[in-house]
Amino acid sequence: MKSYDFGIVGLGVMGRNLLLNMADHKFAVAGLDLDREKAESLQNEATAEQDVKATTEAQEFVNLIRKPRAIMLLVPAGKPVDSAIHSLLPHLEEGDIIIDGGNSYFPDTDRRFTELAEKNIHFFGMGISGGEKGARFGPSMMPGGDRKAYERLRPIFEAIAAKVNGDPCVEYLGNGSAGNYVKMVHNGIEYGIMQLIAEVYDLMKRGYGISDEKIQQTFAEWKESEVQSFLVEITADILNTFDDEGNRLVNVISDWAKSKGTGKWTSQNAMDLQAPVPVIDAAVTMRDMSKFKPERIEAAKKLTWTPAQKEFNETALLAQLKDAFYFAMINTYAQGLVQLSIASETYGYELNLEVVAKIWRGGCIIRAAVLEDFRQAYSRNPSLKNILLDDAIAANLIRTQEGARAIIKDAVDQGVPVAAFMNALSYFDSYRSERLATNIIQAQRDYFGAHTYERIDREGVFHTQWN
Ligand code: 6PG
């Protein structure tokens, strides 16, 4: 019987596109979906040159794949992943590999990893970024699991991944749930940068009264600059899209933002690890704020603020905004990357941040020109604590901070909320503060709760009878 190189369970858009991508690269691939229509539509979509087989039968599917079998699940996170594993298990053999390609919550991945290891089945949690198009023509992939078993997957993943200067945007990341964890933080950074872009847009439009055309033009120009990124590019496209009545589409889209939870998990876990990620926190909070629409309508009438009339020099202003965006974006990546290094220590992932920066340079939603700067920074100094401390990056931050400080002042004067920008700047200002005001917090804790404090001039632990 003919044997297939790789199998995917779940033939939704992502599953189908990944299989077709593999087939383009001459791998023989099999797909399983209980929904006959989905299985048939994949079979019909595949061209004569593509070696694709789709089925609705788990037993038949498993038998198609060469041993040790490599099977990826592309089903919604949560229970469907457990159900899919459960339905495959009776047909699998020791040494086979299951890869969860969804945005699973990382503790679930650890549980599955351990349960399956007892059965000698290798389990991988692998973040996949880049959406439908990425899956079809080159995603960024973040695999974590058993290093040896990864060798079975490597040639396939390297072939289908996005490439930057010939390097595939996939590399083994670490143990257990490392892959899902890295993807979760990727999404947290994604939330942060999306929020920063929204704030830039709001400030230009409401704060400075810049025209829609000029805003669009500005983002289009940024595509060719140091702030180049996928998210800037799609924003330029979005601002240039009109509906059938000629409205700029973005102006008629509701401001009530949805989310699936990965940004929130990043913030929640960052709190557990005591890893400050204030830009990501602000981004999650702003999506939550957006849900209070009826109250915001009421508050807009009641809680008024009339900004002083101010003349703005548009050219100078746009240069400042670009600096500010660059500055805040670097601070956002910095926060996510520090969270990764703390998580790596805590959970034993053994992450290499140069590799993370390298595979984020292409294919994924947060790909940006600055990722190559980060990769170089980690390559210069693999134990770099924070990218803010890299000499080249620090010089850029020193140069652009003035822009951030200026636009935040304008936003405050105009009454435009820029929570992510403010949090980026206070992260920077607190990180570069040799002495923070937390001495007063320690004194207060000791005052009301006898929690004790340390002194800077003497060894030991102290308590004062304050009153
Ligand atoms: C990606 C995206 C992808 C998805 C997000 C959206 O990397 O391709 O991050 O995973 O679009 O899950 O997340 P929200 O629905 O939470 O905004």
Side-chain angles (χ1 to χ4, degrees), residues 16-24 42 45-46 50 52 136:
R16 210 174 55 228
N17 282 357
L18 276 173
L19 273 187
L20 292 171
N21 185 351
M22 289 174 189
D24 281 349
L42 170 67
E45 201 174 329
Q50 289 175 318
V52 175
R136 182 68 186 85

Side-chain angles (χ1 to χ4, degrees), residues 103 128-131 183 186-187 190-191 259-262 287 365:
N103 280 332
I128 304 179
S129 182
K183 176 61 175 22
H186 164 286
N187 281 29
E190 171 186 306
Y191 273 53
S259 57
K260 292 205 190 93
T262 41
R287 290 203 196 185
I365 304 296

Side-chain angles (χ1 to χ4, degrees), residues 264-371:
K264 183 186 72 178
W265 295 341
T266 309
S267 276
Q268 285 176 325
N269 187 254
M271 292 270 174
D272 287 342
L273 298 181
Q274 301 180 340
V277 292
V279 177
I280 299 171
D281 299 339
V284 175
T285 299
M286 288 310 290
R287 290 203 196 185
D288 293 341
M289 282 299 282
S290 83
K291 297 185 176 72
F292 288 78
K293 183 75 173 179
E295 279 171 61
R296 286 192 286 115
I297 292 171
E298 197 186 329
K301 292 186 198 104
K302 204 170 262 177
L303 307 173
T304 55
W305 164 251
T306 313
Q309 289 293 328
K310 215 172 154 184
E311 288 294 310
F312 294 111
N313 171 338
E314 199 171 274
T315 313
L317 200 84
L318 291 176
Q320 254 175 1
L321 259 178
K322 188 163 109 195
D323 279 356
F325 178 58
Y326 176 87
F327 173 89
M329 185 170 68
I330 300 287
N331 276 277
T332 309
Y333 282 104
Q335 292 165 22
L337 289 163
V338 173
Q339 178 172 353
L340 284 183
S341 66
I342 296 174
S344 182
E345 284 271 306
T346 312
Y347 304 127
Y349 290 147
E350 298 181 18
L351 292 176
N352 175 339
L353 293 183
E354 183 186 347
V355 169
V356 173
K358 186 173 150 202
I359 66 171
W360 281 354
R361 289 177 309 167
C364 66
I365 304 296
I366 63 168
R367 62 187 186 257
V370 290
L371 261 313

Side-chain angles (χ1 to χ4, degrees), residues 408-428:
I408 289 171
K409 279 185 218 152
D410 287 342
V412 170
D413 287 345
Q414 298 300 306
V416 175
V418 287
F421 272 100
M422 285 176 165
N423 281 4
L425 181 59
S426 17
Y427 176 81
F428 179 80

